[in-house]
Amino acid sequence: MVVKLHDLYFKPFINADEIDVVVQRMVNDIAADIKDEIPVFVGIMNGSFMFVSDFVKKYPKPCEVTFIKLASYEGVKSTEDIQRLIGLTQDLTARTVVILEDIIDSGNTLEEVHRIFKNENVKQLLIATLFHKPEAYDKDFKLHYVGKEIPNKFIVGYGLDYDGLGRDLPDVYQLKTTQHMTNIVLFGPPGAGKGTQANFLKEKYDLVHISTGDVFRYNIKNETALGMLAKSYMDKGELVPDQVTIDMLNKEVEKNTDAKGFIFDGFPRTNAQAKALDELMDSKDSQINAMVALEVDDEILVERLLKRGETSGRADDADENIIRNRIKEYYSKTAILKDYYSDQNKYFGVDGVGSIEEITERLSAVIDKL
Ligand code: IMP
Ligand code: MG
């Protein structure tokens, strides 16, 4: 489950069980190295409180525990950070001190710790950190025990916070590179009013409407590499492989990196395509939130389309048999997808009979809850 802290979204990264294993391993390593002395474990507040607590509970031999806090103050010069130390009252002369850090990132805090302990005449100063971001670390201090190396991305949970929130979470979460999006697969039989509603929804929710048909026409007309590739299959009378379509959609998604979400229209049509779309969204740190299908009774659809045929001149809107076939085909094709999304509790059928405003309201009620 994604968590929201203040304005940002975080995704599950390291669960409590995995953390437990890492902490236990650190305990074993440290206990094995410290033979017949009573070490002083020094947690760096605030972030390390949970780690230190779990660590000392697992520690098999007598030990002392204390905490220090480095309070950052904006210095006299605006650029200079002055660290103030709180809590180091104990005499540590000739003791083995093990610093327990939740995370070592740039190493600035560690540098400060070294500066402080330089004058404490300890027997040895060992550094243990639960998490370490090697890509961000630009100091030379030796890290004696590292629980887990992680990529240079912001994390929260298990003591770590984002602006005060998230310390209480038992699991660790990682900042999502793509923030929250509302991605909808919009379905509806011919004549259900999909186009009309898509237009309203994209305005209301600031979504980008990706009509697969339009994307195809655009790529072919502009002779893009993918368009030419798609055309080569179509010219041979073959189906365009899903990957080509997905690559086109990917391009559309990437053109709109600031989008609040997407309305996919005309895709997916098969299980394999739905899976491919899930993978695409996953690669963007996002997901399909819902398949929203407009539901309209067959007889009403036939009536609407025949009426549209009177003015639109579209041949396929003029013949009742053709219309009924298109509707039948729609249901036989979308049934699989309805199951696919229902299985993930993502299928939402919306009554598509009523005024345009009424239907927009019904759709909004679904989207507002996503
Ligand atoms: P430093 O850059 O190694 O000095 O780390 C400074 C402090 O920044 C750490 O003690 C944490 O309190 C905080 N910090 C660094 N990276 C993260 C993170 O990914 N999430 C939450 N806090 C972090
Ligand atoms: Mg810290």
Side-chain angles (χ1 to χ4, degrees):
M1 274 298 279
V2 168
V3 297
K4 186 183 186 203
L5 303 174
H6 299 293
D7 55 329
L8 295 181
Y9 292 84
F10 296 83
K11 61 177 177 177
F13 182 45
I14 306 167
N15 71 31
D17 291 342
E18 197 187 331
I19 296 170
D20 198 67
V21 171
V22 172
V23 173
Q24 184 63 60
R25 206 194 57 234
M26 294 180 77
V27 165
N28 296 347
D29 291 350
I30 293 172
D33 288 349
I34 300 174
K35 296 271 155 30
D36 301 317
E37 322 169 41
I38 296 181
V40 184
F41 292 117
V42 179
I44 312 293
M45 290 281 254
N46 291 329
S48 71
F49 78 95
M50 214 179 263
F51 169 46
V52 174
S53 168
D54 284 347
F55 183 95
V56 296
K57 273 186 274 182
K58 292 180 192 296
Y59 199 73
K61 294 183 274 189
C63 62
E64 290 178 31
V65 194
T66 188
F67 287 91
I68 58 172
K69 187 172 175 120
L70 300 169
S72 239
Y73 279 75
E74 278 301 304
V76 225
K77 290 176 212 149
S78 58
T79 47
E80 201 173 318
D81 234 8
I82 295 177
Q83 302 272 16
R84 209 177 66 162
L85 174 74
I86 303 166
L88 191 59
T89 47
Q90 192 179 346
D91 181 15
L92 295 173
T93 306
R95 303 293 302 270
T96 287
V97 171
V98 185
I99 300 294
L100 295 181
E101 260 285 33
D102 47 340
I103 189 163
I104 293 178
D105 184 310
S106 68
N108 288 342
T109 309
L110 185 59
E111 185 169 50
E112 195 60 20
V113 164
H114 273 279
R115 203 179 58 75
I116 289 160
F117 279 87
K118 211 168 55 201
N119 305 319
E120 294 293 321
N121 302 315
V122 300
K123 180 180 164 195
Q124 57 174 341
L125 182 69
L126 298 172
I127 309 298
T129 186
L130 179 58
F131 299 116
H132 175 43
K133 297 177 182 167
E135 296 157 47
Y137 190 58
D138 61 7
K139 301 287 187 293
D140 293 320
F141 303 109
K142 181 173 166 62
L143 309 181
H144 301 87
Y145 306 96
V146 173
K148 193 176 169 68
E149 293 192 344
I150 59 169
N152 191 11
K153 285 191 182 165
F154 197 78
I155 59 170
V156 292
Y158 199 72
L160 292 153
D161 73 309
Y162 164 52
D163 199 9
L165 293 181
R167 295 196 195 277
D168 53 320
L169 301 168
D171 304 309
V172 167
Y173 294 78
Q174 187 182 56
L175 182 66
K176 285 180 72 189
T177 42
T178 307
Q179 285 298 300
H180 185 70
M181 298 204 290
T182 304
N183 300 308
I184 296 164
V185 171
L186 186 62
F187 270 87
K194 217 166 36 134
T196 310
Q197 293 301 332
N199 275 333
F200 277 109
L201 294 180
K202 80 176 197 205
E203 285 298 320
K204 180 162 181 190
Y205 294 98
D206 204 5
L207 305 176
V208 175
H209 180 199
I210 298 185
S211 153
T212 313
D214 290 347
V215 172
F216 257 91
R217 283 185 285 275
Y218 170 88
N219 277 279
I220 291 171
K221 181 166 162 267
N222 290 287
E223 303 188 344
T224 67
L226 286 168
M228 301 300 279
L229 185 58
K231 197 167 175 295
S232 72
Y233 288 99
M234 290 154 85
D235 288 347
K236 281 181 281 181
E238 291 171 18
L239 280 174
V240 178
D242 287 349
Q243 195 53 48
V244 177
T245 312
I246 277 287
D247 288 346
M248 282 189 203
L249 295 182
N250 185 28
K251 285 248 153 67
E252 292 305 308
V253 170
E254 285 183 347
K255 273 186 209 163
N256 297 283
T257 44
D258 293 337
K260 295 224 170 70
F262 297 92
I263 301 172
F264 293 97
D265 178 354
F267 191 93
R269 289 194 193 275
T270 63
N271 246 319
Q273 290 180 350
K275 284 206 185 82
L277 184 59
D278 279 348
E279 279 161 27
L280 170 64
M281 297 320 284
D282 199 47
S283 75
K284 308 287 177 211
D285 247 2
S286 196
Q287 59 172 341
I288 295 295
N289 303 90
M291 169 181 179
V292 182
L294 287 169
E295 294 170 341
V296 181
D297 187 76
D298 287 7
E299 297 313 310
I300 298 176
L301 290 175
V302 173
E303 208 178 291
R304 280 190 195 169
L305 288 172
L306 282 173
K307 208 159 168 206
R308 186 169 90 182
E310 286 169 15
T311 49
S312 75
R314 272 175 65 166
D316 56 352
D317 280 351
D319 183 317
E320 185 170 333
N321 281 327
I322 294 178
I323 290 174
R324 286 193 189 277
N325 252 324
R326 279 162 60 203
I327 296 171
K328 223 172 85 191
E329 197 184 283
Y330 166 82
Y331 284 112
S332 67
K333 281 207 174 131
T334 52
I336 323 153
L337 291 162
K338 185 173 173 177
D339 291 345
Y340 181 88
Y341 289 106
S342 292
D343 286 347
Q344 306 176 41
N345 294 319
K346 288 180 180 173
Y347 176 85
F348 299 90
V350 171
D351 181 4
V353 183
S355 70
I356 291 175
E357 297 77 29
E358 278 167 347
I359 299 164
T360 309
E361 251 170 60
R362 287 176 205 146
L363 288 167
S364 300
V366 170
I367 294 170
D368 287 339
K369 282 196 214 106
L370 295 177

XYZ file of all heavy atoms in Angstrom, residues 44-47 83 101-111 133 136-137 150 153-156 160-162 167, ligand 1:
251
model
N 21.749 7.932 17.608
C 21.644 9.336 17.189
C 20.158 9.640 17.004
O 19.501 9.069 16.129
C 22.412 9.600 15.876
C 23.832 9.009 15.923
C 22.446 11.091 15.571
C 24.774 9.648 16.892
N 19.691 10.516 17.864
C 18.273 10.893 17.810
C 17.979 11.757 16.583
O 18.864 12.448 16.138
C 17.909 11.697 19.053
C 17.897 10.863 20.306
S 16.374 9.938 20.397
C 15.583 10.900 21.660
N 16.729 11.823 16.111
C 15.600 11.032 16.532
C 15.499 9.714 15.780
O 14.951 8.742 16.299
C 14.296 11.810 16.245
C 14.140 13.012 17.142
O 14.601 13.002 18.268
N 13.485 14.041 16.642
N 16.030 9.720 14.571
C 15.745 8.638 13.632
C 16.079 7.240 14.110
O 15.467 6.272 13.696
N 26.134 22.621 14.272
C 25.504 21.501 14.967
C 25.676 21.690 16.462
O 26.739 22.044 16.940
C 26.171 20.187 14.549
C 26.127 19.923 13.083
C 24.863 19.184 12.658
O 23.890 19.122 13.409
N 24.870 18.656 11.460
N 23.301 4.311 14.019
C 22.612 5.281 13.166
C 21.516 4.583 12.384
O 21.671 3.431 11.972
C 23.610 5.910 12.174
C 24.108 7.283 12.571
C 23.071 8.385 12.354
O 21.855 8.123 12.503
O 23.481 9.511 12.037
N 20.441 5.283 12.167
C 19.379 4.756 11.325
C 19.819 4.767 9.865
O 19.632 3.811 9.131
C 18.088 5.572 11.490
C 18.341 7.062 11.432
O 19.508 7.483 11.646
O 17.401 7.829 11.181
N 20.437 5.871 9.475
C 20.832 5.978 8.067
C 22.043 6.893 7.923
O 22.142 7.905 8.617
C 19.654 6.488 7.202
C 19.983 6.402 5.705
C 19.252 7.912 7.572
C 18.747 6.492 4.810
N 22.960 6.491 7.072
C 24.049 7.392 6.712
C 23.903 7.707 5.234
O 23.905 6.831 4.378
C 25.434 6.801 7.052
C 25.553 6.720 8.589
C 26.547 7.663 6.464
C 26.847 6.119 9.085
N 23.746 8.978 5.013
C 23.441 9.489 3.676
C 24.687 10.207 3.160
O 25.623 9.572 2.687
C 22.213 10.412 3.851
C 21.673 10.968 2.546
O 22.459 11.496 1.760
O 20.457 10.895 2.328
N 24.765 11.505 3.303
C 25.936 12.242 2.840
C 27.138 11.997 3.747
O 28.287 12.147 3.337
C 25.624 13.737 2.803
O 25.457 14.217 4.125
N 26.856 11.644 4.993
C 27.932 11.457 5.960
C 28.215 12.707 6.780
O 29.116 12.720 7.618
N 27.458 13.773 6.566
C 27.662 15.010 7.326
C 27.465 14.794 8.819
O 28.247 15.280 9.632
C 26.692 16.106 6.851
C 27.074 16.630 5.478
O 28.213 16.443 5.031
N 26.128 17.257 4.791
N 26.416 14.060 9.153
C 26.139 13.791 10.561
C 27.285 12.990 11.164
O 27.743 13.270 12.271
C 24.817 13.012 10.708
O 23.806 13.700 9.978
C 24.415 12.887 12.158
N 27.749 12.006 10.404
C 28.837 11.166 10.885
C 30.094 11.990 11.128
O 30.822 11.779 12.112
C 29.101 10.064 9.855
C 30.139 9.031 10.253
C 29.752 8.324 11.533
C 30.333 8.019 9.125
N 30.354 12.915 10.260
C 31.513 13.798 10.409
C 31.424 14.551 11.735
O 32.410 14.681 12.479
C 31.540 14.789 9.238
C 32.757 15.691 9.220
C 32.851 16.445 7.889
O 31.832 17.048 7.478
O 33.925 16.399 7.278
N 23.468 4.878 2.059
C 23.314 5.222 0.646
C 24.694 5.509 0.058
O 25.163 6.643 0.100
C 22.446 6.481 0.504
C 21.012 6.341 0.996
C 20.314 7.689 0.857
C 18.898 7.659 1.355
N 18.347 9.028 1.494
N 25.364 8.506 -2.154
C 25.287 9.850 -1.583
C 26.464 10.143 -0.652
O 26.773 11.294 -0.364
C 23.980 10.022 -0.815
N 27.134 9.100 -0.213
C 28.189 9.229 0.788
C 29.448 9.817 0.186
O 29.993 9.271 -0.775
C 28.472 7.838 1.363
C 29.370 7.815 2.578
C 29.042 8.513 3.728
C 30.548 7.078 2.574
C 29.851 8.473 4.854
C 31.367 7.028 3.696
C 31.012 7.730 4.825
O 31.822 7.686 5.935
N 21.285 0.922 0.289
C 20.072 1.240 -0.472
C 20.382 2.308 -1.526
O 21.362 3.043 -1.395
C 18.927 1.726 0.452
C 19.352 2.976 1.239
C 18.487 0.620 1.401
C 18.191 3.647 1.964
N 17.628 7.186 -2.719
C 16.259 7.692 -2.779
C 15.763 7.881 -1.360
O 16.137 7.097 -0.471
C 15.347 6.706 -3.513
C 15.548 6.700 -5.011
C 14.448 5.911 -5.672
C 14.668 5.854 -7.185
N 13.840 4.839 -7.808
N 14.922 8.857 -1.173
C 14.446 9.190 0.162
C 13.535 8.100 0.704
O 12.641 7.623 0.005
C 13.711 10.525 0.133
C 13.541 11.123 1.487
C 14.593 11.768 2.120
C 12.320 11.021 2.155
C 14.437 12.309 3.379
C 12.160 11.549 3.424
C 13.220 12.195 4.034
N 13.796 7.704 1.959
C 12.951 6.680 2.579
C 12.352 7.192 3.894
O 12.869 8.134 4.499
C 13.719 5.362 2.839
C 14.931 5.595 3.752
C 14.144 4.706 1.542
C 15.589 4.306 4.237
N 11.282 6.553 4.306
C 10.637 6.870 5.589
C 10.231 5.571 6.278
O 10.188 4.518 5.658
C 9.365 7.732 5.408
C 9.704 9.123 4.909
C 8.349 7.044 4.504
N 12.532 6.723 10.570
C 12.874 7.793 9.631
C 11.636 8.597 9.250
O 10.562 8.033 9.032
C 13.500 7.197 8.375
C 14.872 6.572 8.602
C 15.133 5.476 7.594
C 15.941 7.645 8.512
N 11.814 9.881 9.138
C 10.651 10.740 8.894
C 10.773 11.570 7.631
O 11.868 11.768 7.092
C 10.472 11.718 10.056
C 11.535 12.814 10.023
O 12.741 12.479 9.917
O 11.167 14.004 10.076
N 9.625 12.018 7.178
C 9.587 13.114 6.212
C 8.867 14.249 6.916
O 7.676 14.128 7.207
C 8.856 12.690 4.934
C 8.449 13.860 4.065
C 9.384 14.829 3.692
C 7.134 14.017 3.630
C 9.012 15.913 2.924
C 6.759 15.099 2.858
C 7.709 16.051 2.511
O 7.333 17.127 1.754
N 7.749 8.250 11.182
C 8.671 7.549 12.091
C 8.044 6.316 12.712
O 8.719 5.355 13.053
C 9.087 8.484 13.240
C 9.903 9.681 12.817
C 10.580 10.281 14.052
N 11.087 11.619 13.814
C 12.250 11.888 13.248
N 13.016 10.898 12.838
N 12.632 13.143 13.082
P 23.702 12.488 6.475
O 23.457 13.078 5.114
O 24.475 11.189 6.394
O 24.319 13.457 7.413
O 22.280 12.153 7.056
C 21.636 13.160 7.739
C 20.339 12.780 8.304
O 19.413 12.993 7.287
C 20.100 11.373 8.765
O 20.514 11.149 10.085
C 18.615 11.293 8.670
O 18.027 11.860 9.810
C 18.346 12.162 7.479
N 18.179 11.353 6.275
C 19.066 11.059 5.316
N 18.507 10.295 4.343
C 17.229 10.107 4.731
C 16.117 9.410 4.164
O 16.175 8.766 3.089
N 14.949 9.461 4.844
C 14.812 10.132 6.016
N 15.817 10.799 6.581
C 17.013 10.781 5.951
